[in-house]
Amino acid sequence: MSKILSAIGIILVVAGTIFSLWSILGTKGNYVGTAHWFDHQQESFKKDKMKVIIGTSFIVVGSIFQIIGLFI
């Protein structure tokens, strides 16, 4: 049971990390710094903020699963 909880925790942490960073990884380098990018920063921030909150939640829950799996 402890190995299953640890594996689920690792999967959640990886998924949360990827979900949190996907907006950065998906940003085109030639788009950053342009006038269009500056004009739409506030809209992008609102979308990215929710993704980061969800990703961080996955990371926290996954870490808790790993800790529980360690002590069971």
Side-chain angles (χ1 to χ4, degrees):
M1 183 68 176
S2 66
K3 290 182 181 182
I4 294 172
L5 283 176
S6 293
I8 291 171
I10 291 170
I11 291 169
L12 285 174
V13 168
V14 169
T17 303
I18 291 172
F19 197 74
S20 296
L21 298 176
W22 194 255
S23 62
I24 295 171
L25 297 173
T27 304
K28 296 179 182 177
N30 56 358
Y31 175 70
V32 175
T34 62
H36 185 266
W37 180 72
F38 281 111
D39 291 342
H40 293 84
Q41 267 187 326
Q42 187 174 12
E43 297 164 6
S44 298
F45 175 77
K46 290 177 184 176
K47 291 189 311 185
D48 293 343
K49 182 179 179 182
M50 185 54 71
K51 290 180 183 177
V52 170
I53 290 171
I54 293 169
T56 304
S57 300
F58 281 173
I59 292 170
V60 169
V61 171
S63 299
I64 291 170
F65 278 6
Q66 288 180 356
I67 292 169
I68 291 170
L70 182 66
F71 290 112
I72 288 182

